[in-house]
């Protein structure tokens, strides 16, 4: 029986799925090598203190960024129309630019290693954070403009149907019951 749909073809593996694991492995090896070099030069206790200070500083940065994000969210919700004390105008966006990068900076500082600490400290610098935020915003806008209209809804529809081609297969469910075995939970009779 043929259906008229072509057989599914194997999808090509993306470059990101190939190179991201390799980059992470190289990063981990480099971090360990740098920690051993610093331990040889400055001593093991110094490296241990640097790692502990990184965890504490990263936790403080992430906590401050989380509080700032929550405060911005609360202010935005309070300015919404219909809330007590709201002036009815459209809510102005508070300056929450770069909160995600601030949290990422705190996380990178918490991760043991010198390269991640330097990257995390760079994300604490406001001009670097705002430049990265502008770049990420432009990149996201470019990708959204390049996407086909309805592409996201089609993807959700295909995922919901569990068929890669999105086609619906018509059929009916047949339940085979053993006539020799009585129902354990008989249904009550339908009454009009």
């Amino acid at each position: 029986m043929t259906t008229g749909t072509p057989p599914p073809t194997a999808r090509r593996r993306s470059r990101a799925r190939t190179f991201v694991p390799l980059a992470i492995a190289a990063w981990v090896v480099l971090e360990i090598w740098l920690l051993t070099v610093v331990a040889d030069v400055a001593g093991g206790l110094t490296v241990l203190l640097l790692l502990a200070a990184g965890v504490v500083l990263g936790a403080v940065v992430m906590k401050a960024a989380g509080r700032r994000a929550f405060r911005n969210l609360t202010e935005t919700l309070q300015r919404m129309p219909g809330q007590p004390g709201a002036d009815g105008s459209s809510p102005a966006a508070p300056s929450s630019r770069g909160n995600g990068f601030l949290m990422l900076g705190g996380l990178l500082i918490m991760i043991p290693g010198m390269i991640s600490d330097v990257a995390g400290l760079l994300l604490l610098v406001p001009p670097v954070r705002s430049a990265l935020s502008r770049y990420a915003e432009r990149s996201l806008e470019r990708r959204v403009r390049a996407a086909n209209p309805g592409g996201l809804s089609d993807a959700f529809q295909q995922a919901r149907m569990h068929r890669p081609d999105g086609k619906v297969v018509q059929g009916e469910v047949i339940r085979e019951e053993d006539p020799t075995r009585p129902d354990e939970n008989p249904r009550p009779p339908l009454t009009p």
Side-chain angles (χ1 to χ4, degrees):
M1 182 166 159
T2 60
T3 60
T5 59
T9 59
R11 296 181 70 188
R12 256 186 61 218
R13 188 176 180 139
S14 69
R15 288 189 303 179
R17 288 185 61 193
T18 302
F19 291 118
V20 167
L22 293 173
I24 290 173
W27 172 60
V28 168
V29 168
L30 189 60
E31 289 279 21
I32 292 170
W33 178 75
L34 278 175
L35 282 175
T36 57
V37 167
V38 171
D40 284 342
V41 172
L45 183 62
T46 305
V47 170
L48 185 64
L49 290 175
L50 280 172
L51 293 176
V55 169
V56 171
L57 178 64
V60 167
V61 167
M62 286 182 71
K63 186 176 181 179
R67 283 184 177 169
R68 184 172 137 190
F70 186 74
R71 184 180 63 243
N72 289 340
L73 175 67
T74 305
E75 290 172 2
T76 301
L77 290 176
Q78 287 176 350
R79 281 194 221 122
M80 292 192 67
Q83 296 294 324
D87 57 358
S89 64
S90 64
S95 63
S96 63
R97 191 171 205 124
N99 252 354
F101 285 117
L102 193 61
M103 286 186 159
L104 179 63
L107 179 67
L108 286 172
I109 292 171
M110 286 179 73
I111 294 174
M114 299 297 162
I115 298 171
S116 61
D117 288 348
V118 169
L121 289 172
L122 278 175
L123 285 175
L124 296 184
V125 178
V128 172
R129 216 173 36 241
S130 64
L132 279 173
S133 180
R134 283 192 307 268
Y135 173 75
E137 189 174 329
R138 281 193 311 264
S139 175
L140 182 64
E141 284 176 2
R142 218 174 320 131
R143 286 180 184 232
V144 167
R145 267 189 260 120
N148 293 334
L152 189 60
S153 65
D154 291 343
F156 281 126
Q157 185 73 13
Q158 288 179 8
R160 187 178 67 82
M161 286 188 230
H162 304 291
R163 296 267 314 192
D165 57 1
K167 295 188 177 179
V168 177
V169 177
Q170 298 293 331
E172 67 181 79
V173 176
I174 300 173
R175 184 186 316 180
E176 295 183 21
E177 295 180 10
D178 188 9
T180 60
R181 198 174 118 226
D183 282 340
E184 295 166 357
N185 297 326
R187 294 185 182 155
L190 296 174
T191 55

